[in-house]
Amino acid sequence: MPDYDAWRRRSRARNVGPPLILIAGLSAGIFGLAKLHLARPSTPKAGAIVLGDVYRGETIFSTKCASCHGMGGSGGIGPKLDGDRIPLSLVQSRIANGKGIMPPGLVSGRDESDVLAYVSALIKPPPSQ
């Protein structure tokens, strides 16, 4: 019966080998694609202003800015930002230096970049001259 045992080993290798190779190949492909971060949003840039994460910016805006500028920049004590035609450089300047009742440096560093990214999604660029 040595021929039967040899046949069983070859048969098992034929039944198990290809699925294992397929699983290994698919796993390698999936992990490779995950490492590429294809769905991760990139860091947008606006001229010399480096913008951060829009989603973090929305969260920071809602906790630090919305009390004056309204949720979603709809306006309130502070000016309306949603749909306003103002340059992003002016927004950055107002965040850094303040004006009127707006205190200077309310957000800074990464938080400032994130808020700028969110505000850039709200405002419309001014018409080019």
Side-chain angles (χ1 to χ4, degrees), residues 33-76:
L33 287 173
K35 282 294 208 181
L36 290 176
H37 297 288
L38 297 176
R40 182 178 62 182
S42 63
T43 302
K45 294 185 179 186
I49 300 171
V50 177
L51 303 178
D53 181 71
V54 175
Y55 304 109
R56 281 193 78 242
E58 183 178 11
T59 303
I60 296 164
F61 185 92
S62 67
T63 59
K64 297 207 176 201
C65 310
S67 59
C68 294
H69 291 284
M71 289 305 289
S74 60

Side-chain angles (χ1 to χ4, degrees), residues 29-115:
I30 289 170
F31 286 119
L33 287 173
K35 282 294 208 181
L36 290 176
H37 297 288
L38 297 176
R40 182 178 62 182
S42 63
T43 302
K45 294 185 179 186
I49 300 171
V50 177
L51 303 178
D53 181 71
V54 175
Y55 304 109
R56 281 193 78 242
E58 183 178 11
T59 303
I60 296 164
F61 185 92
S62 67
T63 59
K64 297 207 176 201
C65 310
S67 59
C68 294
H69 291 284
M71 289 305 289
S74 60
I77 297 169
K80 175 185 172 210
L81 299 172
D82 186 24
D84 198 6
R85 291 189 177 273
I86 55 175
L88 196 57
S89 59
L90 178 65
V91 175
Q92 184 182 31
S93 173
R94 292 287 156 67
I95 289 173
N97 304 318
K99 184 174 181 185
I101 63 170
M102 182 166 170
L106 192 59
V107 290
S108 61
R110 181 177 176 191
D111 289 348
E112 179 182 6
S113 297
D114 295 340
V115 168

